[in-house]
Amino acid sequence: MIAAPFGRLITAMVTPFKADLSVDWEGVETLAKHLVSTGHDAIVVSGTTGEAPTTSDDEKDELIRVVKAAVGNKVKVIAGAGNNETPHSVEQAIHAQKVGADGLLVVTPYYNKPSQRGLIAHHTHIAESVAIPQILYNVPGRTACDMLPDTVVALAQVPNIVGIKEATGNLERGRELLQRCPKSFAIYSGDDATFLDLMLMGAKGNISVTANVA
């Protein structure tokens, strides 16, 4: 069996805030250490659950630094680095790599509704701009953009695109990806309600939200 590149249980960590809406950096450190102590294999910072749409680029960089300092080499830290503008996504990816992220989670561009050809160009350009591995993130219910299986198969050939967070909740879609993508390409569930079924089909793990508390 091909090993999961970032382990099996990856948590999309929430970002704690203070009452004045500033980031609670002490809370960030405490939560990251808690996730390590309770058996999580990797942590995603600045995902949607981590308030990526509402934090600044400087705050995103600092989240990586604080979490990396808190967890050391015990788990991998994956940075959310995608938005609906390719140059800005590239800039975020480069910054994430510079401040110590071990990998990237890159969501499909939201609102713009790019073509499948546009998705290939977008994710390939990001992947070619950094050395750290990228996990694709397909969540059409939130982005209004669905990365179709042909596109995923094409992107799976890009050397440092290593997997996908498949968050459609559609098990037939998951089955098709498992059948068509290279065995070295990791299919991760991104839907807590159906993750066990996808795991039983052969998915490598779960990138979870509820794992923050469950």
Side-chain angles (χ1 to χ4, degrees):
M1 179 181 291
I2 302 297
F6 291 101
R8 297 198 175 277
L9 177 57
I10 303 172
T11 303
M13 193 181 91
V14 301
T15 298
F17 286 84
K18 297 180 180 178
D20 65 0
L21 303 184
S22 63
V23 176
D24 180 357
W25 297 111
E26 184 177 344
V28 169
E29 181 179 350
T30 299
L31 178 55
K33 289 180 177 179
H34 167 73
L35 294 176
V36 170
S37 70
T38 51
H40 302 244
D41 297 316
I43 295 171
V44 175
V45 298
S46 295
T48 311
T49 303
E51 299 291 347
T54 61
T55 52
S56 69
D57 285 354
D58 287 344
E59 287 171 328
K60 289 178 175 64
D61 289 350
E62 188 64 13
L63 279 165
I64 298 168
R65 293 190 188 97
V66 171
V67 173
K68 283 289 291 185
V71 305
N73 295 321
K74 295 177 181 176
V75 302
K76 300 293 187 182
V77 176
I78 304 165
N83 54 66
N84 60 355
E85 181 191 10
T86 302
H88 189 196
S89 297
V90 167
E91 182 180 346
Q92 286 184 330
I94 292 171
H95 275 249
Q97 177 178 260
K98 186 175 181 179
V99 298
D102 299 296
L104 303 173
L105 180 67
V106 182
V107 71
T108 56
Y110 40 84
Y111 184 80
N112 294 350
K113 296 185 178 180
S115 66
Q116 297 301 302
R117 182 179 176 185
L119 288 175
I120 291 172
H122 176 79
H123 286 276
T124 300
H125 191 46
I126 296 168
E128 291 176 346
S129 299
V130 293
I132 55 177
Q134 175 188 158
I135 299 174
L136 308 170
Y137 180 15
N138 188 36
V139 58
R142 294 185 181 274
T143 62
C145 171
D146 190 6
M147 181 181 289
L148 299 179
D150 285 348
T151 302
V152 178
V153 172
L155 286 168
Q157 309 306 314
V158 178
N160 65 332
I161 296 182
V162 299
I164 184 170
K165 178 182 177 180
E166 166 51 39
T168 65
N170 181 333
L171 292 174
E172 286 307 310
R173 170 70 64 85
R175 188 190 307 275
E176 181 175 357
L177 293 177
L178 286 163
Q179 291 173 345
R180 295 183 59 195
C181 290
K183 297 302 182 185
S184 58
F185 185 80
I187 310 297
Y188 283 102
S189 171
D191 180 63
D192 284 330
T194 58
F195 90 90
L196 181 58
D197 291 318
L198 195 62
M199 289 281 289
L200 291 171
M201 291 180 186
K204 296 303 179 188
N206 184 26
I207 300 178
S208 177
V209 171
T210 58
N212 277 281
V213 294

